[in-house]
Amino acid sequence: RFFIEDCPSSVSIVGKSRAISQSLRMIRMVAQSACNPILIIGETGTGKELAARAVHILRHGSDHKFVAINCAALTANLLESELFGHTKGAFTSADRDKTGLLELAGSGTVFLDEISEMPLDLQAKLLRVLQEHTFRKVGGTEEIQCRATLIASSNRNLLSEVEDGRFRRDLYYRLCVCPIPLAPLRAESRKEDILLLAEYFIKNSCICPEKKGKIKGLTSLAAEMLTRHHWPGNVRELRNVIERAILLEATERIGTTNLLLNPACLFEQDTPGHENNALQTKDFSLEKAEKELVKKALE
């Protein structure tokens, strides 16, 4: 119901659009090859980690480790220690040896999320790992073999980052062998997935256990509202909108009243001059809005 026919059962990428079909084709092709490293590109919230896990499952199965690290969440020193590990005494707080993720993953997968945020000096060390397939712990002298598949992701245009001097050109060309692109929800090739995703989230949400199975879907006006929205936060934003609506909805179908595309309106409804959520129906006809309001009143 929610997946294209050739989507592996272990890969839960919801969608039947042309964009999803193309992305899954690329995921399968890259996973079945010996391509290493692998680059996944797409905006925030498009499912880059989900795509990385799909590559991992198709290539290694569930018997190998998948370890992920967000390059934007750690300082340069901590990120280096997390990736490569360190020896006792390598720096002030290093009171024992630490195994890095590259070693911990073994023959599995290391996922470097938002690699564009990695400092330039650490990019040079990562490039050496990709070329030599060996690395050293921080403070160590022993060469350790890297057997893991490295998957990197970025929500930025890496070529633009290269031109602006924020990303190494040699690392970019080393990563960009066969990139896997993920289309945003607003793309024409993926718009048909919006309502399918919404239905999937309604059916599988656990945010309000006592309502599970009681909310059947969306009203026609709410469905139209979702398809017209720009979705800057993509699938993650859509999931949040649906789960928020589930919490607020008292009937069996989610309507525009509880479909808060701008959550700030929850806190700003009493602010003078604020356009509350009801005015989000301005793009729709009065006849449609009146019909839905009457229907909800009857319910």
Side-chain angles (χ1 to χ4, degrees), residues 127-172:
L127 180 63
R128 184 179 180 277
V129 175
L130 297 178
Q131 291 174 338
E132 306 297 331
H133 302 289
T134 60
F135 63 93
R136 295 177 188 170
K137 289 185 176 183
V138 178
T141 56
E142 180 188 354
E143 292 285 343
I144 302 171
Q145 186 178 8
C146 178
R147 295 176 289 121
T149 298
L150 268 72
I151 304 179
S153 79
S154 176
N155 62 357
R156 298 189 182 186
N157 185 322
L158 286 182
L159 192 55
S160 296
E161 294 294 296
V162 168
E163 299 300 331
D164 293 338
R166 291 191 292 266
F167 199 79
R168 291 182 63 99
R169 187 178 295 274
D170 46 7
L171 180 57
Y172 168 74

Side-chain angles (χ1 to χ4, degrees), residues 42-48 114 155 183 185 190 232-237:
E43 294 180 5
T44 297
T46 49
K48 296 188 291 295
E114 307 305 353
N155 62 357
L185 270 185
R190 202 179 176 189
N234 293 293
V235 180
R236 188 180 294 124
E237 181 189 2

Side-chain angles (χ1 to χ4, degrees), residues 1 11 24 27 53 58 76 113-114 132 143 156 164 171 191 202 206 212 237 239 242 268:
R1 172 75 184 90
V11 178
L24 279 168
I27 286 170
R53 288 184 182 275
L58 290 171
D113 194 15
E114 307 305 353
E132 306 297 331
E143 292 285 343
R156 298 189 182 186
D164 293 338
L171 180 57
K191 271 191 173 182
I202 291 170
C206 297
K212 192 168 180 66
E237 181 189 2
R239 181 172 188 163
I242 294 299
E268 299 174 358

Side-chain angles (χ1 to χ4, degrees), residues 262-276:
N262 177 17
C265 67
L266 284 169
F267 310 100
E268 299 174 358
Q269 285 178 349
D270 298 327
T271 305
H274 173 72
E275 293 187 12
N276 62 33

Side-chain angles (χ1 to χ4, degrees), residues 85 117 120 142 156 184 189 197 221 223-224 229 270:
E117 304 300 322
L120 287 168
E142 180 188 354
R156 298 189 182 186
S189 60
L197 280 160
L221 192 59
E224 190 175 347
H229 187 57
D270 298 327

